[in-house]
Amino acid sequence: MPSNLDIGPNTPPLQIFSDWITEAKNHPHINDAIAMSVATCGANGELHSRVVLCKQWSEEGFTFFTNYNSQKGRNLAERPEAAAGFFWDPLARQIKISGAVKKTSREVSVAYWNSRPRESQLSQWLSHQSQPVDSRKTLEEAWSKADKHFGAQPIPCPEHWGGYLIEPRQIEFWVGQPGRLHDRFEFKRESGAWTFRRLYP
């Protein structure tokens, strides 16, 4: 189990996040260090959670990309708030994030789209994400049709696809400890500055 960590009021939360992500990426038993669970809520109060990939992070927040017409996209259009979580079992570490959500600029979305493998672009270009589809065969036929349609041409970023930025109001770092006497460190953004407190496990 990990020993106590040097986390305190003068430790920038983004630095902790970056250090933990780097360690998770380098761990031989963690397959996808940037996998992030994102929970959203629609106007009717129904909650939805799914795992996405956190592709970018900065002082502004944490960015993932998706189809804006998906379930999460519809939820975020109705209630632009989200909670996100990372959990790395081999490291006994967890991060919780919550805050407002907004779309990234079109430039950010297109730049990331252009960095993706062509196969991933095709899958997203043809997808009516979260909508019913009758069979796997239908998906494969649509993919083949799109592949033939574009040929060697670039696949444009759809208008309904792009990034979301979670602007954190709260970030909590959790470290598992023996006897469940865990360490929890909470940062809250108030008037543009981060406040800090340690929490009971």
Side-chain angles (χ1 to χ4, degrees):
M1 293 290 250
S3 61
N4 200 357
L5 301 180
D6 185 19
I7 293 177
N10 297 319
T11 315
L14 184 67
Q15 183 61 56
I16 303 168
F17 178 86
S18 297
D19 290 346
W20 283 22
I21 281 282
T22 298
E23 191 169 345
K25 283 183 173 181
N26 292 331
H27 197 285
H29 301 302
I30 296 176
N31 293 325
D32 227 334
I34 60 172
M36 173 176 73
S37 176
V38 172
T40 58
C41 182
N44 62 359
E46 190 172 89
L47 296 166
H48 297 271
S49 180
R50 77 289 287 164
V51 176
V52 300
L53 297 179
C54 181
K55 289 294 187 175
Q56 299 171 8
W57 52 89
S58 68
E59 292 292 343
E60 285 188 87
F62 305 86
T63 300
F64 65 94
F65 296 86
T66 190
N67 186 314
Y68 290 144
N69 295 329
S70 64
Q71 179 71 64
K72 70 182 84 64
R74 295 195 301 272
N75 283 171
L76 291 170
E78 294 166 352
R79 290 188 176 185
E81 303 272 339
F86 297 82
F87 178 60
W88 304 292
D89 186 46
L91 294 174
R93 290 182 185 172
Q94 174 175 202
I95 301 176
K96 292 164 55 182
I97 299 164
S98 60
V101 180
K102 68 179 183 181
K103 290 181 179 179
T104 63
S105 69
R106 185 66 181 162
E107 290 74 20
V108 167
S109 296
V110 170
Y112 175 66
W113 173 270
N114 290 337
S115 75
R116 306 187 82 203
R118 184 174 183 276
E119 292 79 6
S120 297
Q121 292 179 340
L122 277 173
S123 295
Q124 288 303 306
W125 188 85
L126 66 88
S127 178
H128 302 285
Q129 196 172 92
S130 303
Q131 298 302 311
V133 62
D134 60 358
S135 68
R136 176 74 190 181
K137 182 181 179 182
T138 297
L139 284 176
E140 292 174 350
E141 288 176 348
W143 197 95
S144 296
K145 183 178 179 180
D147 186 27
K148 183 178 180 180
H149 171 76
F150 285 108
Q153 299 300 312
I155 301 168
C157 180
E159 290 293 332
H160 59 265
W161 190 96
Y164 284 108
L165 176 73
I166 303 176
E167 301 175 302
R169 287 192 300 266
Q170 182 176 349
I171 305 177
E172 181 187 317
F173 299 93
W174 176 97
V175 184
Q177 297 290 3
R180 305 197 67 79
L181 196 62
H182 309 313
D183 288 312
R184 294 175 63 189
F185 308 96
E186 180 192 70
F187 292 84
K188 280 190 174 182
R189 184 173 273 164
E190 298 178 358
S191 301
W194 290 104
T195 63
F196 169 85
R197 62 183 181 176
R198 176 187 274 268
L199 304 176
Y200 274 98

